[in-house]
Amino acid sequence: MQNETSNTALIAEFVEQNIQDAMKTLFSSSDIGAQKAAAAEIAQFFGASATIKNALEESDTTEQEQKLISSFHNNLTLLVQKTWVEKDDITLKEQVIYRLDNLCKALNPDNYNTSYAEIVPMLKDAVYLMFGAQAQKDDFTEYAFRIDPGFGVFWWYITCLPEESPATSMEAKIKLLPGFVFMSNF
């Protein structure tokens, strides 16, 4: 977990122990069952219903999962479209919307791991568009926690997502669904 050591005190100040433990399990455990339980706990913290566990368990796309992807797409598109950006960032804004459209259309249980490598940077770009240069500063994690602890946990979660795709589509799905839940409700 990249930022955990440098932000341990800050995280302890804002994040309940069960979420800290779930984040650690999600990103360091090799036990898929433990990862699923951790992802479900984080997703519930982000506002998911208890039925998120079903989406994490199924190897086929469930109706709930399709609704989540649709909500993620619609809400993130709206957030990015409505965000005022500097002239230099207009192209990035258009690229994020284009990438989001294509990724959400193509996302299915068999390709979470191939889409993963595009989704993680896109999420970071979306946060950059919403917060500007502040999102690239070293103290952004603290800033995020102080403006909205829930968003702070989301930012911490994003910074913990490994850059490289997980080995399997299921592992990628487990890591991505909590973020989809947050962005669906933000």
Side-chain angles (χ1 to χ4, degrees):
M1 297 175 67
Q2 300 165 357
N3 290 349
E4 184 176 12
T5 345
S6 61
N7 293 314
T8 302
L10 179 68
I11 290 166
E13 180 181 344
F14 288 98
V15 183
E16 294 176 12
Q17 189 62 48
N18 64 321
I19 299 301
Q20 292 178 53
D21 294 343
M23 288 283 287
K24 184 175 182 178
T25 300
L26 180 62
F27 295 112
S28 64
S29 177
S30 59
D31 179 343
I32 293 294
Q35 286 181 30
K36 287 177 182 180
E41 186 159 0
I42 295 165
Q44 285 178 303
F45 174 80
F46 287 154
S49 68
T51 57
I52 189 73
K53 290 180 184 179
N54 295 340
L56 290 166
E57 292 295 329
E58 298 295 325
S59 57
D60 293 330
T61 304
T62 62
E63 183 179 331
Q64 177 189 352
E65 185 179 344
Q66 283 300 89
K67 287 179 182 179
L68 176 59
I69 292 168
S70 178
S71 292
F72 165 75
H73 172 264
N74 294 340
N75 202 44
L76 187 54
T77 299
L78 183 63
L79 284 168
V80 171
Q81 285 176 340
K82 299 297 180 189
T83 299
W84 181 88
V85 296
E86 297 287 339
K87 188 175 181 179
D88 294 344
D89 292 329
I90 291 173
T91 301
L92 178 61
K93 182 177 179 176
E94 292 168 352
Q95 288 173 351
V96 167
I97 292 170
Y98 177 79
R99 288 164 37 207
L100 179 63
D101 287 346
N102 289 330
L103 286 167
C104 288
K105 284 178 192 169
L107 201 56
N108 68 60
D110 297 328
N111 73 355
Y112 270 93
N113 57 334
T114 55
S115 299
Y116 179 98
E118 295 176 53
I119 291 172
V120 173
M122 184 199 58
L123 287 171
K124 291 177 181 177
D125 287 344
V127 170
Y128 168 78
L129 289 171
M130 289 185 272
F131 291 93
Q134 179 68 38
Q136 296 176 327
K137 293 184 179 179
D138 291 340
D139 66 346
F140 185 66
T141 300
E142 180 176 358
Y143 176 81
F145 275 114
R146 298 212 183 276
I147 62 166
D148 178 355
F151 181 77
V153 173
F154 174 70
W155 180 248
W156 177 39
Y157 156 84
I158 286 179
T159 62
C160 290
L161 285 168
E163 294 291 323
E164 66 282 344
S165 297
T168 67
S169 190
M170 179 54 83
E171 288 177 88
K173 178 179 174 177
I174 292 166
K175 295 208 177 10
L176 290 174
L177 285 187
F180 288 6
V181 168
F182 181 84
M183 291 310 300
S184 295
N185 296 311
F186 186 64

